[in-house]
Amino acid sequence: MGSVASAAEFQIYVPLTVKHGGQAVEVYMPQTFKAHGGLTGSALVDAAMSELSKVYADVKALDVSVKGATANIGVRDAAKTTDPATVDRAAGAVYHTLKAAGVSAVTLLKRPVDDNHFVRGASLIVLPFTAVMPPNRLKYGLVRFGAVVASANAFYKRLAEGDVEIRRAALSLLNGGSPAIKMALLERIRMFKFYDLAKNLIPRLTDPHIGVRLKALAAVKGSKNKDILKVLEDIVATDPSADAKILAVRVLVNAGENRYKRYLLLEKLKSGKVAVVLKAAKGLIAANEPKFGTAFTGLLLHVDAAVREVGLRGLSHYQLYSSMAEALANSTLNAGIAERLAKVVSDKATGAQQAKGVNWLVTKGSKLGALHGARVAGDKRVAGTTPALVTALKRKEPRVRLAAAKALSLLRDPAALEPMATLIRELKGGDITEREAMERFAIKIVEAQTLEQAIKISKSVDVTVRQLAIKSLAAKVDKHKMKVVSTLNMRMNDSDVRIRRAAAFALARIKDDAVARRLLDKVNDSDPGVRAEIAFAVANSTLKAAPAILVKMMSDSHKLVKRAAVIGLRLKKVMMALPKLKMLSKIRYPAVRLEVWRAIASMSTKGDANDFDMWSTDALYDKAPDIRVLAIKMLSAYPADQRTAGSIGGAVIDTSVTVKVAALAALGVLKHPNAGMEAARGLFDDDKEVKLAALQAIEKLKQVAVKPRLKEFLKREKDVELKQKGKSVLDSL
């Protein structure tokens, strides 16, 4: 066999005694030795004889001469020509070693000999016929095909004659062999001389393994058989492999099926020239043939961005969301194209595919991508996204964490409670706004459960989960008022202040003046958290004394109580508190200060000329981003004031992305001749969200003066999505 003769391991045969059938029998057994892989002919014979003489000294009495493919075994000492140990035992070892070295014919003392000449038999290798099919060739050994075992020479003779047993063995393996075996047989299919080759090839054309299908397609090259052509048409229509489609198209076109010529564009997708690939891809999209869709998957991994882009376009055009979802699992996919792919899948796919798109966005996507994915997960209640959303709770961007939490609240999966509770604890001492929002979303999950389930959750070993469950009970008051109020009043006496706070939180949200009056009994509670909830209860009531109580509580020494009182004053619009609120607008606690400004905004008259400076200076330059965003909103109420565009425009270069985006949104609806140029400052920001907001503002304003800035942006920008948007905006001006 060619592969054996070219290997680094070669065989020699040595007489050894072995147990066979319970009897001791001496046979020639193969042993291996290492030699140069390129050894053949006399050089290999010399190496083999040298190795044999090292392990079996008796062969030294023999002399071997090689001429072409024939070898003669002679005896060095004439006296030993009749010695069985020499001319039978030793000569047999040499004979089998020579045959293993590729010698075709052997003579002993000038007389031809074969396997039957020697007393001892030999243990020969038996290989399956699939391993010795040409161009491989077994020089010495046995070949098995089906139930038949034959010598190598006999096998090759029968193969050349189209032996029926070999054909049966081949067909059996074509039907039930491994993909590797099937592929090996298909490469040599014509050697078996099948009477009806087409009949035996057709089933392989639809084999589940793509490698087998490709080998079968190669085997039908040049065929004009109608049955084969029909199967090829089906391959073009339904096979997921672009390579299979290309091979099928070649055969069809060669058979005169000219309507398939345009399918040859598939082959051009493999061109090394980007221009050729792009032209072919656009042609395939224009053809609007669903059969072409899967060919675009491979383009997603192309080194050229334009080719990746057209790959995405093609898959989107043919709505191959399943293929797109699978492509997201490829870690080598370009991040930019992967995110856009995930967006399409999350927006347009359904079921498990949609979940894959969402999961990629919230865990691996950019900030904007993650926000998009979380929004889709919540709005569409996408099943299978809870684990990914829980992972997103650990992301560094606060807005993403909140978006993930909101989505989890809409999915109502209790499995998210403990991870959310962990994050709430981590946020303690940090941003109170984020923590409160996170709590609201977690509470929504418990609210979606039955009262019995909520009470069960309120007994969790996780104290934060217990708090959340207790806080959720307020939502059950309509159907279970007595039980809920009784449970909460009992919890107000808990030794753990955190539980008392949670109970006060829930009671404060029950619209019942009697509940509020009972809570007022604890207005001097030592815990500021409880006092803060009492302030909320008062704001939530219809008590006549509520405004005065809230104004008084605004003077509480603790920031939590102050904040709650200010929120209450805003909700009740207690106008008499406005002067005092303005005095508190510079309080050092950001969370309190934000609520103060919100209350002022709620009680102020929008567009009041007397308040412009307050919003454009004090509020717009506050350290808290949320207050600056509020200032921008209030300044938008002064569209006729010439100072407005400049004031809001200055916020376009703020340090906070949220403020920048708010400023750009405000500029987009501001009818001022300079609004467009102010918005253009956002085109050169580092953040994609800001750039996108700037483009949207410019698009709404439609001010021609911005064109030069847009053109400069398009020259500099590298993000494909932003460039596309920029070109669209420029065209609209």
Side-chain angles (χ1 to χ4, degrees), residues 318-333:
Y318 289 112
Q319 300 179 11
L320 293 179
Y321 306 128
S322 178
S323 297
M324 296 167 83
E326 289 175 11
L328 289 172
N330 192 325
S331 59
T332 63
L333 200 62

Side-chain angles (χ1 to χ4, degrees), residues 9 33 108 567 571 583 598 707:
E9 295 281 345
F33 70 97
L108 175 60
I567 291 172
L571 293 175
M583 291 174 63
R598 283 176 175 167
K707 275 190 172 184

Side-chain angles (χ1 to χ4, degrees), residues 319-373:
Q319 300 179 11
L320 293 179
Y321 306 128
S322 178
S323 297
M324 296 167 83
E326 289 175 11
L328 289 172
N330 192 325
S331 59
T332 63
L333 200 62
N334 173 271
I337 207 72
E339 178 153 318
R340 296 182 60 209
L341 196 70
K343 281 184 180 179
V344 174
V345 173
S346 68
D347 290 350
K348 298 183 179 180
T350 57
Q353 281 76 38
Q354 185 177 39
K356 286 179 181 179
V358 168
N359 293 344
W360 193 98
L361 288 171
V362 299
T363 58
K364 299 178 182 178
S366 66
K367 177 183 68 178
L368 288 180
L371 290 171
H372 182 91

Side-chain angles (χ1 to χ4, degrees), residues 342-362 372-390 404 406-413:
K343 281 184 180 179
V344 174
V345 173
S346 68
D347 290 350
K348 298 183 179 180
T350 57
Q353 281 76 38
Q354 185 177 39
K356 286 179 181 179
V358 168
N359 293 344
W360 193 98
L361 288 171
V362 299
H372 182 91
R375 184 165 56 250
V376 172
D379 291 348
K380 297 186 178 181
R381 310 293 196 276
V382 183
T385 58
T386 296
L389 289 166
V390 166
K406 181 179 180 181
L408 287 167
S409 75
L410 292 169
L411 289 170
R412 302 175 179 179
D413 189 343

Side-chain angles (χ1 to χ4, degrees), residues 42 70 77 83-84 86 93 177 261 303 308 390 501 507 579 604 612:
S42 60
T70 302
D77 184 351
D83 178 16
T86 302
K261 278 188 175 179
V303 294
R308 294 196 297 269
V390 166
R501 280 189 185 185
L507 288 167
S604 299
F612 185 91

Side-chain angles (χ1 to χ4, degrees), residues 77-92:
D77 184 351
K80 292 187 176 183
T81 55
T82 58
D83 178 16
T86 302
V87 296
D88 186 80
R89 190 170 187 263

